[in-house]
Amino acid sequence: MSLDTLAAERREPTAHPSTSAKPSLIGMDRAALAAALGAIGVPQRQQKMRSAQLWHWLYLRGAASFDAMSNVGRDLRQALAEHYSILRPEIVSEQISVDGTRKWLFRFPPEGAGRPVEVETVYIPEEGRGTLCVSSQVGCTLTCRFCHTGTQRLVRNLTAGEIVAQIIAARERIGDFPDLATPEGAIVPAEGRLVSNIVMMGMGEPLYNFDNVREALRIASDGEGLSLSKRRITLSTSGVVPEIARTGSEIGCMLAISLHAVRDELRDELVPINKKWPIAELLQACRNYPGLSNARRITFEYVMLKGVNDSLAEARELVRLLKGIPAKINLIPFNPWPGSAYECSDWDQIELFAEVVNRAGYASPIRTPRGRDIFAACGQLKSASERLTRRERETQGLVEAGA
Ligand code: SAH
Ligand code: SF4
């Protein structure tokens, strides 16, 4: 698809600018909601019931204001609105690809003394399902050579609230919440939900923001709220080996590994975290992944780079390496971005590569590039957010001048 056929619709910054400094309830679990209620004088004996009501409105119904919470008394609604917000990011832009993929640039208010930050979130509608690609960090500390996000320095980790807010804001924009006007107690239909799957494959390395990602995914998978099954949540990592076991035991979602090369020498270059945790250690962590079984396979992502990692000898080596690991192999045609140094493999070569992998008994879907025309495809995400300059940090007292 030609990159200049831009079928995008840009929006003026509008929606719900959340500039208030009030703490947001989005991202809080039940205990934190109860504590927030306690802090505004709700007696302890009511906190459990009230926090369950808040949970229902925030995460199941997608209420955007306290006013909508019809079974919460007016006085309490007022007190809540005085002290708290329901974080919605500002929608800086919304682009819609010719293939229906949507990409949003969301802006979140500053955390502490920082600047507002912007992240991208992508919605990919498919036959019978819809996948939301969610960001975990603004920028990335890692510098994978083929990835656009890798050219943006890490600005900061997203909070659990900002990760959950991407899901809520996206569902709100595509009309994927039950109508607030429906009778109280209506539940999200299990069938026909527009966002059925979540992939932590947006900007950033989720395992370098483990605690916030875990918290956000616990909320996203809670059956009384956003209700996304853990089997439909996939976390992709470049290979942060020490956090892989915890991903299985503490989050329990599906795992994807950005492998991309079968020799350490090449992987050191493409995915530099390999110098710290080389292929053998990474695959050992995969073999030990809690919950791994034929029904819960690990996805190995392999970006197809012309003349770099796409030979049939490499396909055979890939199969050899993964022996004994219940695995799927996802071949990703390289998505170019301005200034990228690689080319996508020829289609014939990708098919031959897939055939070798297939013949060895692995499912090896070739991921159809989606949303390339709006730079929404894998590895094309980047936002203009930058870290504060040293001078700005000095003037805001974040570092000592001259230190
Ligand atoms: N940081 C995590 C998750 C985000 S990247 C990780 O690296 O796994 C999501 C996937 O897109 C990863 O497999 C990544 O390697 C891949 N990717 C990055 N840049 C790409 C590009 N230009 N074309 C195709 N895939 C790319
Ligand atoms: Fe970061 Fe993943 Fe991109 Fe590597 S591929 S730079 S880990 S976002």
Side-chain angles (χ1 to χ4, degrees):
M1 193 181 304
S2 154
L3 291 179
D4 49 23
T5 54
L6 200 78
E9 167 201 304
R10 280 192 79 86
R11 289 165 50 94
E12 290 306 310
T14 48
H16 313 280
S18 174
T19 45
S20 75
K22 293 175 198 167
S24 170
L25 299 183
I26 299 289
M28 288 191 184
D29 62 11
R30 290 181 177 82
L33 288 174
L37 286 160
I40 58 166
V42 174
Q44 194 166 8
R45 66 192 142 72
Q46 287 185 18
Q47 285 171 17
K48 195 161 176 235
M49 182 265 288
R50 294 288 182 208
S51 58
Q53 286 177 328
L54 279 179
W55 184 277
H56 172 91
W57 287 110
L58 296 174
Y59 301 129
L60 188 83
R61 307 295 292 277
S65 77
F66 293 107
D67 277 347
M69 302 181 177
S70 53
N71 59 355
V72 177
R74 205 160 60 102
D75 291 350
L76 179 55
R77 289 200 316 250
Q78 246 167 22
L80 283 165
E82 250 167 58
H83 294 91
Y84 300 112
S85 71
I86 304 179
L87 177 74
R88 292 292 195 271
E90 182 181 341
I91 304 177
V92 180
S93 70
E94 174 177 71
Q95 292 170 278
I96 305 177
S97 160
V98 287
D99 68 19
T101 299
R102 285 182 192 224
K103 181 172 83 169
W104 295 278
L105 182 63
F106 289 140
R107 180 180 294 150
F108 290 103
E111 270 290 298
R115 284 179 176 157
V117 290
E118 293 176 352
V119 292
E120 296 189 316
T121 307
V122 178
Y123 175 63
I124 307 144
E126 285 169 291
E127 197 57 41
R129 66 188 216 164
T131 302
L132 195 68
C133 178
V134 173
S135 292
S136 57
Q137 298 184 307
V138 186
C140 192
T141 49
L142 303 173
T143 52
C144 303
R145 290 276 300 273
F146 48 84
C147 172
H148 202 195
T149 311
T151 65
Q152 181 183 5
R153 289 176 60 193
L154 179 74
V155 179
R156 68 167 170 83
N157 282 334
L158 292 175
T159 62
E162 289 162 340
I163 296 169
V164 173
Q166 291 172 68
I167 305 174
I168 292 179
R171 289 187 62 197
E172 191 170 88
R173 279 296 301 161
I174 58 178
D176 194 30
F177 275 117
D179 184 353
L180 284 176
T182 55
E184 194 184 309
I187 50 160
V188 185
E191 305 273 309
R193 280 180 56 171
L194 297 176
V195 175
S196 58
N197 294 56
I198 299 272
V199 290
M200 294 303 299
M201 294 188 187
M203 293 164 58
E205 169 49 59
L207 295 190
Y208 276 153
N209 185 15
F210 188 88
D211 290 352
N212 290 330
V213 167
R214 176 186 56 195
E215 190 53 41
L217 294 182
R218 280 187 181 163
I219 292 172
S221 60
D222 188 289
E224 291 170 16
L226 290 160
S227 305
L228 286 143
S229 143
K230 286 181 181 175
R231 307 216 29 190
R232 290 171 174 266
I233 299 178
T234 303
L235 180 150
S236 173
T237 178
S238 57
V240 184
V241 166
E243 307 293 357
I244 287 180
R246 293 176 70 201
T247 306
S249 58
E250 297 177 31
I251 305 177
C253 61
M254 306 299 282
L255 182 68
I257 300 284
S258 293
L259 191 63
H260 307 316
V262 292
R263 286 174 290 113
D264 280 324
E265 201 191 355
L266 179 61
R267 196 163 188 270
D268 283 350
E269 190 188 315
L270 297 177
V271 188
I273 199 177
N274 194 67
K275 291 184 204 148
K276 219 169 182 174
W277 294 295
I279 294 174
E281 278 182 43
L282 176 59
L283 296 182
Q284 195 49 43
C286 290
R287 287 195 171 85
N288 297 337
Y289 189 64
L292 182 64
S293 70
N294 275 335
R296 293 170 71 90
R297 291 164 195 257
I298 293 176
T299 300
F300 288 87
E301 297 161 283
Y302 198 95
V303 62
M304 299 300 296
L305 303 171
K306 184 173 183 168
V308 175
N309 65 354
D310 63 351
S311 72
L312 299 189
E314 280 158 311
R316 287 189 287 270
E317 180 60 11
L318 178 61
V319 167
R320 199 189 65 78
L321 277 177
L322 299 187
K323 205 161 182 221
I325 306 178
K328 280 184 280 201
I329 296 162
N330 214 331
L331 301 178
I332 316 176
F334 169 67
N335 294 306
W337 38 271
S340 56
Y342 299 101
E343 273 180 80
C344 182
S345 306
D346 294 332
W347 202 257
D348 290 353
Q349 186 64 19
I350 301 181
E351 285 188 338
L352 289 172
F353 195 105
E355 212 178 291
V356 172
V357 174
N358 257 320
R359 255 190 279 127
Y362 291 101
S364 57
I366 303 172
R367 194 185 289 171
T368 321
R370 296 292 302 265
R372 270 190 183 176
D373 55 336
I374 56 167
F375 284 94
C378 296
Q380 293 183 311
L381 306 185
K382 181 175 178 177
S383 77
S385 296
E386 283 173 7
R387 285 163 67 99
L388 297 182
T389 61
R390 181 162 187 90
R391 224 191 123 60
E392 285 168 316
R393 279 183 283 155
E394 280 171 10
T395 43
Q396 295 189 14
L398 296 175
V399 289
E400 276 178 44

